[in-house]
Amino acid sequence: MLSGKQVVLGVTGGIAAYKAVELCRLFIKDGATVRVIMTAAAKQFVTPLTFQTVSGNLVYDDLFAGSQRYTVDHVGLAQGANLFLIAPATANCLGKLAAGIADDLLSTTVLAAGCPVLLAPAMNTKMFENSTVQENIDKLTLRGYSFVAPVEGELACGESGGGRLAPLDSIFAAAKSLLLPALELRGVRLLVTAGPTREAIDPVRYLTNHSSGKMGYAIAQAAVEQGAEVTLVSGPVTLPAPAGVRMVRVTTAQEMYAAVLSLYSEIDVVVKAAAVADYRPATVQEAKIKKDGDMALSLVRTPDILAELGKRKQNQVLVGFAAETDNLRENALVKLARKNLELIVANDLTEDGAGFNTDTNVVKFYFKDGQEKQLPRMPKLAVAREIIREIKRIMNIV
Ligand code: PMT
């Protein structure tokens, strides 16, 4: 199944290094090409010859021997890889990656990698629980690194607890899902809205909000990962378009309304993560308003796009967001019912790391069938993947 896939397997210096030999064999058996990079400490536990024999390839361990073998090792290895797996990943390895330190072949090559990076930490329980290690894991997660969490069990140091390398079949399964993403949303047409809208007051001023677009762009990315045909209707933000999405750029609520409604009949799922302005100035002044001019601003309602989608719904799945500072549950449930949604994702703006312009979010799902589900603080991409998982469940896609 993995034929044609290139895996770089980084092995760092922990007792679990011997298990990486078997891991390497699993990839080879499944048809992948494996190139192993060992740190100096890893070689204290297993010899390069073992990995060379199992992988059928030279083992890389020296930053300065590169040009004789495989272009410049750290660039050549990084460029060809479909997956970069480090197992076991020691506390030292996580610390170096989190800090961007590149002082050996492994740490240098990871920095040059453009493919997904999967880390399988293994270390003593106390070390794993140490707040510095946990902060490093948080940092790396926020940067998009994936983890296979260690498990509880007997450790080499004689202690028992968390920190034991995850079972090899779990690591292999996680690696496979990154190498061969299940395209379960193939054929599904999904529209996401993201970012704020801007409502002009005069040629130089406008009304808007703090939305950065991060939440909506993450949802678009998570849907593309699963093979959906994604249209991203975005208000003005500074984020680059995620690869593989059809972009529609708008500025005002009215423009977003027109764009979304014109596409609606060809869409299966709508996720409305945009923070649409509820009001716009009743008139837009043609000339810049002078400081000594009339300061009163008369506002009118913008169209409620999601409520309109709810009214016109045929078979579409509608997912809304609720950004609340109080009465999260009551407000979210009112919006869920009033806008005729299958799911509303409520963010409590009073929580740390939730809502506007953060890299993380803390959300609670409220479903049409009465179910509720609270998620912990997570990177927005991880929240997005959870939303996609729920959409698949609603659509009876396994
Ligand atoms: O963009 P980020 O910085 O990453 O921040 C993410 C976010 C906080 C913007 C996002 O998680 C979020 O909560 N988006 C919805 C914010 C919002 O407008 O909530 P609301 O409770 O006012 O609206 C409820 C729902 O109706 C939303 O899905 C909204 O898109 C939709 N709506 C609202 C008004 C309107 N005129 N038309 C709409 O479609």
Side-chain angles (χ1 to χ4, degrees):
M1 279 179 75
L2 293 181
S3 89
K5 299 290 179 192
Q6 295 227 20
V7 177
V8 174
L9 173 60
V11 185
T12 63
I15 183 67
Y18 79 91
K19 296 183 184 173
V21 177
E22 178 60 12
L23 196 55
C24 178
R25 204 187 59 81
L26 291 176
F27 283 105
I28 297 291
K29 223 176 109 195
D30 222 47
T33 303
V34 181
R35 297 190 191 279
V36 178
I37 304 178
M38 299 182 79
T39 61
K43 290 192 289 180
Q44 299 291 323
F45 293 90
V46 187
T47 67
L49 185 61
T50 312
F51 282 109
Q52 186 176 316
T53 309
V54 173
S55 71
N57 278 313
L58 280 177
V59 169
Y60 299 83
D61 54 11
D62 185 351
L63 184 56
F64 299 104
S67 49
Q68 294 139 30
R69 300 191 306 200
Y70 188 70
T71 64
V72 178
D73 276 350
H74 67 283
V75 178
L77 283 166
Q79 272 172 355
N82 301 106
L83 176 72
F84 205 120
L85 166 63
I86 304 184
T90 56
N92 180 55
C93 165
L94 300 180
K96 286 205 305 195
L97 296 185
I101 293 171
D103 64 350
D104 61 9
L105 185 61
L106 181 58
S107 49
T108 315
T109 312
V110 186
L111 284 187
C115 62
V117 179
L118 178 63
L119 303 170
M123 66 198 75
N124 164 272
T125 308
K126 294 276 185 315
M127 286 173 78
F128 184 64
E129 288 170 353
N130 184 289
S131 57
T132 310
V133 172
Q134 289 301 314
E135 275 168 25
N136 287 336
I137 291 176
D138 280 354
K139 262 192 211 162
L140 292 167
T141 307
L142 286 175
R143 287 184 208 148
Y145 288 70
S146 300
F147 280 85
V148 191
V151 293
E152 305 237 333
E154 231 175 77
L155 300 169
C157 54
E159 284 181 26
S160 212
R164 188 182 161 90
L165 186 75
L168 297 186
D169 54 353
S170 307
I171 301 175
F172 189 56
K176 258 182 151 172
S177 71
L178 290 169
L179 283 164
L180 305 167
L183 301 178
E184 288 167 342
L185 288 181
R186 211 197 300 252
V188 173
R189 298 159 302 178
L190 190 140
L191 185 149
V192 189
T193 70
T197 63
R198 273 183 197 165
E199 312 301 329
I201 299 171
D202 67 12
V204 297
R205 304 178 179 97
Y206 51 81
L207 300 176
T208 191
N209 57 63
H210 294 291
S211 173
S212 62
K214 288 179 184 173
M215 190 67 250
Y217 277 56
I219 295 166
Q221 185 184 327
V224 167
E225 278 173 10
Q226 305 245 336
E229 276 170 44
V230 179
T231 305
L232 177 54
V233 179
S234 174
V237 299
T238 55
L239 300 174
V245 307
R246 170 164 64 141
M247 284 299 296
V248 179
R249 296 189 194 274
V250 297
T251 303
T252 65
Q254 185 59 47
E255 286 172 12
M256 187 174 279
Y257 176 88
V260 173
L261 268 290
S262 73
L263 295 165
Y264 193 37
S265 62
E266 294 154 25
I267 292 294
D268 305 303
V269 182
V270 178
V271 185
K272 282 231 67 239
V276 186
D278 291 311
Y279 292 90
R280 64 175 171 80
T283 51
V284 182
Q285 300 300 318
E286 275 179 25
K288 183 181 168 193
I289 302 170
K290 297 286 174 283
K291 283 191 249 330
D292 51 0
D294 180 6
M295 286 297 130
L297 202 54
S298 160
L299 300 176
V300 292
R301 286 298 303 261
T302 56
D304 189 323
I305 306 165
L306 192 50
E308 191 57 35
L309 298 180
K311 269 190 223 146
R312 299 190 192 191
K313 180 152 75 172
Q314 305 274 316
N315 300 309
Q316 290 94 343
V317 171
L318 290 186
V319 179
F321 270 77
E324 307 294 342
T325 52
D326 54 279
N327 298 328
L328 184 78
R329 185 167 189 278
E330 293 86 321
N331 291 331
L333 290 178
V334 167
K335 288 173 187 173
L336 176 76
R338 196 167 57 77
K339 303 192 185 204
N340 191 16
L341 312 178
E342 275 62 42
L343 164 63
I344 192 149
V345 180
N347 13 222
D348 182 345
L349 302 182
T350 63
E351 290 255 12
D352 244 12
F356 292 99
N357 204 10
T358 50
D359 290 326
T360 57
N361 209 350
V362 187
V363 302
K364 184 156 185 180
F365 294 155
Y366 296 95
F367 296 91
K368 191 181 191 160
D369 64 6
Q371 286 187 59
E372 299 180 8
K373 185 170 166 188
Q374 176 72 56
L375 299 185
R377 186 171 78 96
M378 292 171 139
K380 280 184 172 159
L381 185 57
V383 173
R385 290 186 178 132
E386 290 298 320
I387 294 169
I388 295 297
R389 186 203 303 269
E390 296 303 341
I391 289 171
K392 286 196 293 185
R393 196 175 59 79
I394 292 165
M395 297 176 82
N396 289 322
I397 300 171
V398 198

